[in-house]
Amino acid sequence: MKFIAILMGSKSDYEIMQECAKILENFKIKYELIITSAHRSPQRTKDYIKEAEKRGAQVFIAAAGMAAHLAGAVAAYTTKPVLGVPMQGNALASMDSLFSTVQMPSGIPVGTLAIGKAGAVNAAYLAVQILALNDEKLEKALKQDRKDKEEKLIADSKSVEVLL
C-alpha cells in the first residue's frame, strides 16, 4: 500500500503538521504520522524509515525545529523523496531550523519548504504532485484543486472589488 510518512520531532509540531495531514486527506492519500527525533530517538527514527519503506512509503515529510536534523537523518536512511518542514521557534527566529534543513551535503537531498504552516501545507501538495507523476486520477484532482482556488480568489475579489 502506497502512503506518505509524516515525521515530527516533537509533539509541539503536531498542530502545524495536522495541516499537512488535512491536505493529504483531501486528496484521499493514506499517510502515517509519528513523533520521532534525530537526537532523542535515533534508533526509532532509523527503524521506522526502514519499516515504512517496506510497507510502501513513497515520500517522507519531516518537520522539526531548532537544530532540525530530522529531515537530514531521514534522508540518510532512504532514497525516497524527503521533504523538510522547518518549524517556527524563538531561538534565532526560526533561522536555525531553516538552515539545518536546507544545508544538506551533496548527494543527500532534502526538499526544503517554508517555515511553519505554509511549509507543512506545501510539503503535502508537493508530495501529492510526486505521487501524481504516476497517477492520472491524482493529477486531475490537483488540476481541479488549482481551478477551485482560482475560482475562490475571483469570488473573493468580486465581493470587495472597486473598479472604475
Side-chain angles (χ1 to χ4, degrees):
M1 168 186 65
K2 294 181 180 180
F3 67 95
I4 305 295
I6 302 171
L7 296 81
M8 303 173 294
S10 68
K11 191 172 182 183
S12 63
D13 302 328
Y14 180 66
E15 184 178 337
I16 296 293
M17 294 313 292
Q18 275 185 304
E19 299 300 318
C20 179
K22 286 178 190 175
I23 300 299
L24 298 177
E25 289 169 6
N26 288 344
F27 284 98
K28 297 176 178 52
I29 294 174
K30 295 188 182 315
Y31 67 90
E32 293 183 350
L33 187 146
I34 71 162
I35 297 171
T36 190
S37 171
H39 300 109
R40 293 176 302 228
S41 60
Q43 190 62 48
R44 171 183 164 82
T45 301
K46 180 180 178 180
D47 292 347
Y48 175 76
I49 294 160
K50 293 302 177 187
E51 286 302 313
E53 277 188 325
K54 288 178 188 174
R55 293 183 291 107
Q58 299 296 296
V59 178
F60 291 88
I61 298 173
M66 298 184 69
H69 292 295
L70 184 57
V74 173
Y77 296 122
T78 185
T79 57
K80 303 288 186 192
V82 177
L83 307 177
V85 181
M87 299 305 287
Q88 294 168 316
N90 294 332
L92 305 179
S94 306
M95 295 303 286
D96 51 350
S97 61
L98 174 62
F99 290 149
S100 295
T101 306
V102 78
Q103 294 286 40
M104 291 298 298
S106 297
I108 311 294
V110 169
T112 305
L113 288 296
I115 296 168
K117 182 178 176 182
V121 168
N122 282 340
Y125 273 104
L126 188 52
V128 173
Q129 289 175 323
I130 291 168
L131 294 183
L133 290 170
N134 296 306
D135 186 329
E136 288 182 25
K137 183 178 175 185
L138 202 48
E139 183 180 7
K140 287 179 184 177
L142 274 166
K143 288 178 180 177
Q144 185 61 51
D145 183 73
R146 292 264 177 110
K147 185 176 180 182
D148 294 346
K149 284 180 177 20
E150 178 185 18
E151 290 171 0
K152 182 181 181 323
L153 179 124
I154 291 167
D156 288 348
S157 179
K158 288 183 179 189
S159 73
V160 298
E161 280 179 4
V162 176
L163 300 173
L164 299 177

